[in-house]
Amino acid sequence: MKSVAVFCGSNLGSSPVFNEAAIKLGHYFANHHIRLIYGGGNVGLMGTIADAALAKGGEVYGVIPEKLKDKELAHPGLTELTVVADMHERKAKMAELADGFIAMPGGSGTLEEIAEVWTWAQLGYHHKPCGFYNINGFYDPLLLMVDRMVKQGFLRQAYRDMLQVADSPHPLLHAMRDYQPPADKWD
């Protein structure tokens, strides 16, 4: 994998473990020559992961909507920053640039972003891996809900199995590199 999009919080969260994990992932990307694609912000876990990758000489590509740039939330020191019209264009650009997707802890925006690219994978719009950096069990309740979707007949097991989950960078990125997509939903 050459480029991975990371969706994460614009806040730091309630525990320092989230910030520490963002630093660890940023360092991992830089040390393994993986370009970080992210939302372009300088706040929260977004700013932390960008700073961590840059501190180790990594490439960091940000994509930020004009409205957020105008609020001075854009990170000033990125390798490259693209300013787009809106959130829809931001997600499309990030998906175009990335070889895979990771959700770190975050709020509704993070959840919406990973859900969308996972859905696109199910429908065959791309065949890229989707992963959860499950720090401190943050995504355990969501993954239980996904398992319930399978048990209740709303989601095929093959699509649940698309999600790579780990609580540290190496096993997560290793699983994403080895990912083999299932058949598209309507094939």
Side-chain angles (χ1 to χ4, degrees):
M1 299 185 116
K2 295 179 182 176
S3 298
V4 175
V6 174
F7 308 123
C8 58
S10 59
N11 292 305
L12 292 173
S14 61
S15 171
V17 72
F18 301 126
N19 199 56
E20 293 163 10
I23 292 168
K24 189 186 285 188
L25 186 59
H27 288 174
Y28 186 92
F29 277 21
N31 292 337
H32 291 86
H33 308 287
I34 299 169
R35 182 171 63 158
L36 169 63
I37 311 295
Y38 87 117
N42 65 358
V43 295
L45 295 181
M46 291 174 58
T48 297
I49 192 171
D51 288 342
L54 290 166
K56 293 289 185 177
E59 279 188 67
V60 181
Y61 188 108
V63 183
I64 194 164
E66 184 73 38
K67 182 176 181 176
L68 297 179
K69 180 189 170 283
D70 290 347
K71 292 182 183 286
E72 298 183 0
L73 296 175
H75 194 297
L78 303 180
T79 308
E80 189 170 343
L81 179 68
T82 296
V83 180
V84 295
D86 55 34
M87 295 296 285
H88 297 291
E89 195 175 326
R90 175 200 228 178
K91 291 183 294 183
K93 184 66 173 176
M94 290 175 71
E96 171 192 326
L97 295 169
D99 299 322
F101 309 94
I102 292 175
M104 289 188 57
S108 59
T110 301
L111 184 59
E112 183 268 335
E113 289 165 329
I114 194 68
E116 184 165 44
V117 295
W118 177 37
T119 301
W120 291 351
Q122 290 175 46
L123 298 174
Y125 286 105
H126 69 76
H127 295 97
K128 302 172 185 180
C130 298
F132 286 93
Y133 189 16
N134 195 23
I135 300 144
N136 229 21
F138 182 82
Y139 282 110
D140 288 352
L142 176 65
L143 296 168
L144 285 172
M145 183 64 208
V146 172
D147 290 338
R148 185 173 185 161
M149 292 174 188
V150 172
K151 288 179 187 171
Q152 298 294 317
F154 290 102
L155 182 70
R156 295 179 190 166
Q157 183 66 48
Y159 303 135
R160 164 60 174 96
D161 295 341
M162 294 172 88
L163 301 176
Q164 310 304 306
V165 181
D167 62 0
S168 63
H170 181 73
L172 180 57
L173 273 296
H174 183 75
M176 290 176 71
R177 283 190 184 114
D178 292 345
Y179 173 74
Q180 294 296 316
D184 297 344
K185 186 171 185 170
W186 304 113
D187 284 346

